[in-house]
Structures are given as structure tokens and as C-alpha cells.
Amino acid sequence: MKTPTARVDKLLGSMGYGSRSEIARLGKVGGIVLDGVDLTDVSKRIAVTPDLPSRMQVDGRPLDPPAGVVLILNKPLGMTCSHKEDGDLVYDVLPDRWRRRDPAISTIGRLDKQTSGLLLLTDDGDLLHRVISPKRHVAKVYHATLARPLAGTEGDVFAAGGLVLEGEDKPLAPAELEVLSPTEARLTVTEGRYHMVRRMFAAVGNHVEALHRERVGGLVLPADLGPGDWRLATGAEVEAIFA
Ligand code: URA
């Protein structure tokens, strides 16, 4: 694939560093450095290569990653997956500047405010659709803590597929239940409907008290991320989603 190029002012503008005039001013005062040399002419076109953050500094700090980012967040309880609702939002964990990026960074699917665990974010629309499309069968694995002991029949009901959630017409695809204790289960689904896991357990007469996402595809929530922590996904981690 041909390496994309961009004007420095346009590139930095799309990464939230400021308006074109602010970036021009920053260039003039030596605030933009590429390969150790001050980049004063911000109309210059440069190759946008993945190694740019290690070669370019803005205001003395490494450039943010250019478009094509995938982030892994260990979503804590109480944060909403929304750009504009009131209260604590998952986007609040990112640097302010990242909210002004174009293309914008969005969550890959959503987790409820009261669900914790593995949440992916990206500015890559194709990747987002590949992960959430039910046709791709990317597994989403949840650990559920239940209000009442399991009856023993839930696994068969979920595995058969065809369950119709309240208020919907379209039956669910088969899902896999692993019983961990009388009130704990691991549920693997390949769809992403609204409050899906909670509504599945409600459909079999139970109630989810706590819900945590452990895995998306072959990507397990990394052990180095505590609640609220995030980092860029490595190439291998992105591949693992589809493994
Ligand atoms: N199912 C739910 O009920 N909630 C989530 O956050 C994810 C799946």
C-alpha cells in the first residue's frame, strides 16, 4: 500500500493539536521537530508512517499516534459509552486533544454503565464494523454474577438459539453458557444487542447483578490494565480479535 502523505498543519489539526494558525505559530517558535530538525514550514507534506511518533515531537513530546488507532480500555463501573451524555464518559480517560481527532475515536460496540471490562476503541470504521457485525461471529465473552441460582436448563435454552428478547422480533443466535458456580456463569455471544446479556438472563427468570467482559474474539482483557487503565493495542492484539 502507498504511504499516505499529509501537510503538517493538516495532519496536526486532524489530531486535535489546534487550528491551522495555532500550528503555524507553534512551527515558527520551534515547537515542531521532525528527525531532530525544527519544522518551521507547516505547509510541508510529510509521509505519515507508523513510526512518526518516534521521529516527531510537538511541544517537546512525541507526536500522538496518527489515524488507525485501536485502544484497549479496562472500563470501570459507572462510565457511559457515549460522546455526549451527562456524567462520567469513557472518553474522559483519553487526553483532551484526542476528542478533537478526525476521524473520531469511538467505542467498538458499547458496554452498559454498570458493566466493566474489556472495551475497544478505534478511529477505523472498517475494523469497528468487522468486530460488531453479527455475520463475523466475533465472540464476546462475559462473566455474569446472578441474583438467583441457575436452574440448570439455561445452557440448553441459550445454545439452541431462537430466544426472542422482550420487545424484539428477531430471535437470538445460539450462545454458549459455562456454569462457574450456582450464581456465576460465563456467557459467549456473537451479537451485540442492547443490554443483551442482562435481558437473556431476565428471559430465563434470573437477574444479572454484576457483569464484566473478559474477552472479544481471541483478545483477553490484558492483565496489566487495572480498572480505568487504557493503552494502544499492539498489532498482535488487533489480530487476536479475529483469531
Ligand atoms: N450485555 C449487557 O447486558 N450489557 C453489556 O454491557 C454488554 C452486554
Side-chain angles (χ1 to χ4, degrees):
M1 211 169 69
K2 228 177 123 209
T3 305
T5 63
R7 278 174 59 128
V8 171
D9 52 0
K10 188 124 193 283
L11 175 69
L12 297 190
S14 73
M15 293 167 79
Y17 281 98
S19 64
R20 283 215 186 165
S21 56
E22 285 166 339
I23 291 161
R25 232 173 295 136
L26 192 62
K28 285 216 174 71
V29 297
I32 306 172
V33 176
L34 179 62
D35 294 328
V37 179
D38 283 358
L39 208 156
T40 48
D41 175 11
V42 295
S43 69
K44 188 180 152 87
R45 275 193 100 79
I46 59 167
V48 185
T49 51
D51 66 348
L52 212 47
S54 64
R55 295 171 42 217
M56 190 163 179
Q57 292 82 41
V58 182
D59 248 346
R61 300 180 146 254
L63 178 74
D64 292 338
V69 296
V70 181
L71 310 177
I72 306 178
L73 168 67
N74 182 354
K75 179 189 171 297
L77 296 175
M79 277 189 182
T80 307
C81 294
S82 163
H83 279 288
K84 44 180 188 275
E85 274 173 49
D86 291 338
D88 293 335
L89 309 180
V90 291
Y91 301 101
D92 296 342
V93 303
L94 302 178
D96 258 7
R97 176 168 70 234
W98 289 34
R99 289 168 177 258
R100 299 189 293 272
R101 286 175 67 112
D102 179 17
I105 295 177
S106 302
T107 62
I108 301 184
R110 289 177 175 213
L111 291 178
D112 302 338
K113 189 171 179 182
Q114 291 312 332
T115 300
S116 58
L118 176 56
L119 182 69
L120 299 167
L121 299 97
T122 190
D123 57 4
D124 179 340
D126 286 346
L127 178 90
L128 188 149
H129 286 110
R130 276 196 288 145
V131 180
I132 65 173
S133 166
K135 289 192 197 118
R136 296 271 180 170
H137 299 287
V138 174
K140 285 95 188 172
V141 183
Y142 296 89
H143 180 283
T145 307
L146 305 165
R148 290 178 275 284
L150 289 154
T153 47
E154 297 86 348
D156 289 343
V157 173
F158 295 160
L163 188 67
V164 178
L165 296 175
E166 204 177 307
E168 293 191 8
D169 306 322
K170 194 168 171 255
L172 289 180
E176 195 185 314
L177 187 78
E178 184 189 344
V179 176
L180 304 172
S181 83
T183 54
E184 278 175 290
R186 181 171 288 128
L187 181 64
T188 302
V189 301
T190 55
E191 300 170 273
R193 302 197 203 177
Y194 180 69
H195 288 189
M196 179 170 166
V197 174
R198 294 175 199 275
R199 290 163 73 212
M200 285 174 74
F201 280 105
V204 293
N206 213 320
H207 175 77
V208 172
E209 298 226 297
L211 192 59
H212 177 80
R213 184 152 70 187
E214 298 179 332
R215 181 158 71 80
V216 173
L219 177 64
V220 177
L221 176 65
D224 62 316
L225 294 180
D229 291 347
W230 67 276
R231 62 167 169 75
L232 288 174
T234 64
E237 285 170 332
V238 175
E239 274 175 31
I241 299 170
F242 303 103

